[in-house]
Amino acid sequence: MVEINRKTKETDISCKIDINGSGKSNIKTGVGFFDHMLEALSKHSGIDIELTCDGDLHIDAHHTVEDCGIVLGQALKKAIFPINAVERYGNATVVMDEAATTCALDLSNRPFLVYEVNVSGKVGDFDVELVEEFFHALAGNAGLTVHIIQDRGRNKHHILEASFKAFAVALRRALVKNERLGIPSTKGVL
């Protein structure tokens, strides 16, 4: 179990994760759609996540979503590295009705995000542009290379949920134990 706490003038976040969990979650950010996405991430990655955030929602959800990405990224980095005896790479395509999104990732310790998801506007009160901010913060703080590509779709909720689930499944696959690989890098370190 890894615990990270972060308090700024904009957010107060407490996070616990267990990357060897069963996908149980207790998420309370005050942003309903975002909570739903994080619950899906937890369930489909198999990572137990407890996360609470008291953010400046009277302004908007930007700081809450981005800072949760920072904290989750920091927790993942602490839980994953130093890396040893795992697959390292993971990929998944997840479909939700008419939508399909693909995620490929590398536990590289070299952060990079490619985010090609063509949605704009809102899902309920949630600004969909914040999903990219979340993944940028998460990848940067976790040291992950992440490519999230929308294959097709029309319904914004379906497209974004498929994105979170594809990331979750790809991460779960990258974390699969493989003792034969040792440190999965020709450099000998990640």
Side-chain angles (χ1 to χ4, degrees):
M1 180 76 70
V2 171
E3 183 172 358
I4 301 285
N5 296 293
R6 181 176 191 266
K7 185 172 184 168
T8 70
K9 291 181 180 179
E10 298 164 340
T11 58
D12 185 357
I13 303 172
S14 174
C15 177
K16 293 180 187 177
I17 68 166
D18 182 355
I19 63 170
N20 299 308
S22 61
K24 293 181 286 187
S25 64
N26 183 10
I27 313 285
K28 292 183 179 81
T29 68
V31 182
F33 180 76
F34 185 51
D35 288 358
H36 178 48
M37 295 300 101
L38 294 179
E39 289 162 358
L41 191 160
S42 173
K43 177 65 176 175
H44 294 282
S45 67
I47 297 173
D48 293 344
I49 300 175
E50 292 180 31
L51 185 139
T52 58
C53 178
D54 181 17
D56 56 359
L57 296 178
H58 63 284
I59 296 173
D60 68 8
H62 186 103
H63 299 137
T64 293
V65 173
E66 182 178 34
D67 289 6
C68 285
I70 290 169
V71 171
L72 275 171
Q74 291 172 345
L76 283 169
K77 183 163 188 134
K78 191 173 178 182
I80 293 170
F81 295 97
I83 195 169
N84 188 29
V86 297
E87 286 293 326
R88 178 180 167 181
Y89 301 99
N91 67 301
T93 298
V94 169
V95 297
M96 289 202 59
D97 298 337
E98 87 300 341
T101 304
T102 298
C103 177
L105 62 80
D106 178 6
L107 308 178
S108 62
N109 208 14
R110 293 185 312 275
F112 197 85
L113 175 67
V114 173
Y115 185 82
E116 295 178 4
V117 179
N118 187 24
V119 294
S120 60
K122 293 181 179 273
V123 173
D125 294 331
F126 184 82
D127 293 313
V128 299
E129 67 190 22
L130 296 180
V131 174
E132 182 173 7
E133 296 296 328
F134 169 78
F135 281 115
H136 186 268
L138 187 148
N141 284 274
L144 307 179
T145 299
V146 179
H147 292 233
I148 300 173
I149 312 294
Q150 175 189 344
D151 300 312
R152 67 192 58 81
R154 292 179 308 278
N155 181 292
K156 289 181 267 195
H157 186 132
H158 293 165
I159 294 165
L160 295 177
E161 189 164 348
S163 300
F164 273 86
K165 288 178 177 178
F167 172 80
V169 175
L171 181 59
R172 185 182 76 221
R173 291 175 177 169
L175 289 169
V176 167
K177 292 290 182 195
N178 187 334
E179 297 296 332
R180 294 181 320 137
L181 290 177
I183 297 169
S185 171
T186 55
K187 295 181 182 88
V189 67
L190 285 169

